[in-house]
Amino acid sequence: MSILCKLLLIEDDLPLASLICQYLRANQCDVVHVSSGEEVNLLFNLNEFDIVICDVMLPDISGFELFKTLNKEIHCPVIFFTALDDDKDQIYGLDLGAVDYIVKPVDPAILLARIKVHMRLRNQESSSTLRLNKLVLDSQQKKIYYQGAALPITVQEFDVLYLLAQHHLEIVPREVLFKSIIGRDYDGLDRAVDLIISRLRKKLEELSIDYLVIRSIRGKGYLLSCGE
């Protein structure tokens, strides 16, 4: 039986969490449950999850504050799941970057339906996008987004970064880059690709995207590394 998603549930109401876990697991969700921010910090790899459901009123930290930390480490949809039904709280949670805000109590079937919607959207996005931490490369639009805002780059700059990103931590020979981006064989002298990469580096530096580094490997080509 196929798994719909791997889900992290952060909920301190243990009877409610047990009910939700039981229902979601019966409907092809692989669920990991924790009940505090401290337990989240003990998880080895947050990026293994497809979606996160987070209570707001946790015993040791606000779910909003926890989200600010999680948002630096994970790249999956986060849903706030809380009894706080004030409009201001809902607006604040969504403005932080959560994809949904569900007010308790809610039928587990409704919760599952909302999860399915966000998984469909995520799967549609992943077919045409590539993520590098907070950077999103959209191959259909030939655009790069950083924290939701489109960056001022050319099509050639996009193509270079996208090709390097597809081979993250691998050396991409200059000849391969030249043929793919410029459209002809590299003659050993033309610096067109080097100039494109120079402009791209400058733009990333100006935007303080310092975790993304395009390295020159002498005599071989270029390598993209992506830190935290």
Side-chain angles (χ1 to χ4, degrees):
M1 185 178 295
S2 62
I3 297 297
L4 171 65
C5 65
K6 183 158 187 177
L7 182 149
L8 174 61
L9 174 64
I10 310 169
E11 171 60 65
D12 67 321
D13 183 333
L14 298 184
L16 175 61
S18 177
L19 175 66
I20 292 172
C21 287
Q22 182 178 2
Y23 185 85
L24 294 181
R25 286 168 181 157
N27 286 275
Q28 291 78 58
C29 294
D30 182 0
V31 184
V32 173
H33 169 240
V34 296
S35 57
S36 67
E38 182 180 2
E39 289 181 37
V40 172
N41 292 329
L42 294 175
L43 293 174
F44 179 70
N45 181 15
L46 289 173
N47 281 314
E48 66 180 313
F49 298 105
D50 299 308
I51 196 163
V52 174
I53 297 177
C54 183
D55 187 13
V56 172
M57 295 184 290
L58 295 169
D60 56 348
I61 188 173
S62 158
F64 293 143
E65 292 303 313
L66 179 60
F67 175 81
K68 293 176 184 178
T69 301
L70 290 178
N71 204 30
K72 298 176 183 177
E73 301 180 32
I74 62 173
H75 315 295
C76 69
V78 174
I79 297 173
F80 283 124
F81 182 55
T82 176
L84 295 177
D85 60 356
D86 188 86
D87 288 350
K88 291 181 180 179
D89 290 319
Q90 297 186 49
I91 292 169
Y92 182 66
L94 294 171
D95 281 347
L96 280 178
V99 298
D100 208 344
Y101 190 107
I102 300 175
V103 177
K104 304 173 187 174
V106 65
D107 189 313
I110 298 296
L111 178 60
L112 177 63
R114 302 277 275 270
I115 290 169
K116 287 180 176 179
V117 167
H118 293 298
M119 287 306 302
R120 284 198 299 270
L121 291 173
R122 187 173 191 236
N123 290 336
Q124 289 170 7
E125 178 191 75
S126 64
S127 65
S128 64
T129 61
L130 194 157
R131 289 180 176 269
L132 296 169
N133 203 316
K134 297 294 182 184
L135 213 63
V136 178
L137 287 72
D138 188 325
S139 61
Q140 287 187 342
Q141 299 184 48
K142 297 276 188 176
K143 289 185 178 181
I144 299 176
Y145 297 89
Y146 181 62
Q147 296 182 331
L151 303 187
I153 64 158
T154 67
V155 171
Q156 285 187 330
E157 289 165 355
F158 173 88
D159 288 340
V160 166
L161 187 58
Y162 193 81
L163 182 56
L164 291 172
Q166 286 180 307
H167 301 276
H168 178 228
L169 292 180
E170 298 176 9
I171 298 173
V172 180
R174 183 178 275 101
E175 294 81 3
V176 172
L177 278 165
F178 201 93
K179 182 70 173 179
S180 177
I181 307 305
I182 307 302
R184 61 178 186 271
D185 292 333
Y186 180 55
D187 62 7
L189 298 173
D190 198 317
R191 311 300 292 176
V193 166
D194 302 295
L195 291 173
I196 294 169
I197 288 177
S198 177
R199 293 198 304 267
L200 190 53
R201 282 171 170 162
K202 185 177 181 180
K203 289 180 180 180
L204 293 174
E205 183 180 345
E206 289 173 349
L207 292 163
S208 299
I209 307 176
D210 52 4
Y211 63 84
L212 206 63
V213 180
I214 302 174
R215 304 183 186 278
S216 301
I217 310 300
R218 188 172 182 179
K220 295 183 178 180
Y222 290 95
L223 177 148
L224 179 71
S225 63
C226 180
E228 295 298 325

